Amino acid sequence: MPFAIRMHRTGGPEVLSWEEVEVADPAPGEVRVRHAAVGLNYIDVYHRTGLYPLPLPSGLGLEAAGVVEAVGSAVSEFHPGDRVAYAGGPVGAYSQVRCLPADRLLKLPPAIDFQTAAAMMLQGLTSAYLLRRTCHVQTGDAVLIHAAAGGVGLIACQWARALGATVIGTVSNEAKAALAMAHGCDHVIDYTREDFARRVREITGGAGVRVVYDGVGKDTFAGSLDSLQTCGMLVSFGNASGPVPPFDPLLLSQKGSLFLTRPTLMHYTAKRSDLLALGTELFDVVGAGKVRIEVHQTYPLAEVAGAHRDLEARKHTGSTVLLP
Ligand SMILES: NC(=O)c1ccc[n+]([C@@H]2O[C@H](COP(=O)([O-])OP(=O)(O)OC[C@H]3O[C@@H](n4cnc5c(N)ncnc54)[C@H](OP(=O)(O)O)[C@@H]3O)[C@@H](O)[C@H]2O)c1
């Protein structure tokens, strides 16, 4: 029998247990995929802690790459032996083999190996919709990207630079600063030591940036608003430091008729046509060498609890892959 990570209650990394599971034949519209590599994402922490509630008991994980083993009836796009990858629900990617709806899969270009695919799908598709759908980044824009040396960060910074933006990144230490500078950032700010909003004003000659991409949440929300130009947009897309507390929308008016959106990848890829379009844009920038996918950590899937500990302790850079 195959193994998977299961959780029976929310809590710390210790709630993640490696268990034998039964995997049925694929239902109509489903495929069964044998995973070669599984992605680690911050949303997995929110699911584990219960910040984003899941019905329990549950599997975990939203991203993996592998080979199609079997297809259910009414599946014509995929065949056994196809190399595929996915990012998004239903949860359960922390597993050796699983069934999932065929319309969530993308076929992998031959040049993209499984570990790269598992590292890039969720963070890369996220970068795609952040930069190309929420606020369409264009040549000459100044943008601020928090946690620039992280999984989404390294991909988004390179991509924003390739789009012609001036990229300002924030990080928590010198090693991460060097990494962010080598991956698309024009300027890096250590937001644990400096007032990043003031530095952004200095860098932009007082104007502020057109858009802030903020996956840090609670600790950066106020400073992110203070970093924007008039009519700029805050894209608040994560809670690595905790969720943003309630605030008065009048603030948006007082700080320059600002726009705020709190998006999620799931809505931007809900339609298969949208998923395919974003996937093509992602494979294109990676294939063209404009965005390099950096797998900086790997862990055996069975030891994913340690990966969660390190992620929450801000020890990771780039992307992390779990090996089933
Ligand atoms: N809405 C969406 O569609 C969507 C999709 C994907 C990801 N996300 C969000 O994007 C963010 C980045 O995701 P990721 O998977 O690429 O993770 P990541 O950036 O690799 O890891 C999180 C980073 O956040 C920074 N951070 C700042 N304060 C922190 C704190 N108190 N605790 C932990 N980390 C802190 C750390 O970088 P420094 O040490 O440099 O500060 C850390 O490395 C997450 O918030 C995630 O939920 C959202």
Side-chain angles (χ1 to χ4, degrees), residues 27-223:
E30 283 190 343
V31 293
R32 193 171 68 227
V33 179
R34 181 159 294 274
H35 292 155
V38 175
L40 176 76
N41 292 286
Y42 221 96
I43 192 171
D44 306 343
V45 171
Y46 309 145
H47 281 144
R48 193 203 73 220
T49 59
L51 178 66
Y52 297 176
L54 291 174
L56 296 173
S58 176
L60 205 66
L62 289 171
E63 172 181 43
V67 176
V68 172
E69 263 192 356
V71 303
S73 60
V75 174
S76 55
E77 211 181 327
F78 297 96
H79 304 281
D82 283 348
R83 298 170 71 253
V84 295
Y86 62 89
V91 295
Y94 286 8
S95 55
Q96 294 178 322
V97 58
R98 71 173 299 195
C99 292
L100 79 164
D103 70 358
R104 296 294 84 203
L105 294 179
L106 294 179
K107 276 192 191 151
L108 275 183
I112 297 183
D113 62 66
F114 289 129
Q115 286 202 27
T116 303
M120 71 187 257
M121 293 299 294
L122 201 144
Q123 293 163 350
L125 290 171
T126 297
S127 301
Y129 91 77
L130 292 177
L131 298 170
R132 310 276 295 154
R133 302 288 188 275
T134 56
C135 177
H136 200 130
V137 171
Q138 293 167 27
T139 304
D141 285 343
V143 307
L144 173 63
I145 301 177
H146 287 305
V152 173
L154 283 190
I155 296 173
C157 289
Q158 294 177 80
W159 200 334
R161 165 67 84 81
L163 292 169
T166 298
V167 184
I168 307 171
T170 57
V171 296
S172 66
N173 62 45
E174 274 179 29
K176 289 186 177 189
L179 200 58
M181 286 299 284
H183 291 82
C185 283
D186 297 282
H187 307 271
V188 178
I189 305 167
D190 182 337
Y191 53 6
T192 62
R193 298 153 69 105
E194 283 191 90
D195 176 343
F196 71 83
R198 193 163 61 204
R199 278 288 294 135
V200 167
R201 292 281 163 200
E202 283 169 15
I203 291 166
T204 57
V209 293
R210 178 167 172 239
V211 55
V212 179
Y213 293 107
D214 187 342
V216 171
K218 177 171 69 64
D219 289 356
T220 44
F221 182 74

Side-chain angles (χ1 to χ4, degrees), residues 1 8 17 22 36 48 86 183 219-220 251 287 298 301 319:
M1 291 238 289
H8 299 263
S17 73
E22 223 172 287
R48 193 203 73 220
Y86 62 89
H183 291 82
D219 289 356
T220 44
L251 257 186
T298 59
L301 177 57
S319 303

Side-chain angles (χ1 to χ4, degrees), residues 257-280:
S257 297
L258 303 177
F259 291 83
L260 168 69
T261 182
R262 179 53 179 93
T264 163
L265 175 66
M266 307 317 153
H267 294 136
Y268 281 86
T269 54
K271 284 193 220 139
R272 176 130 186 95
S273 56
D274 290 338
L275 174 63
L276 289 172
L278 282 175
T280 300

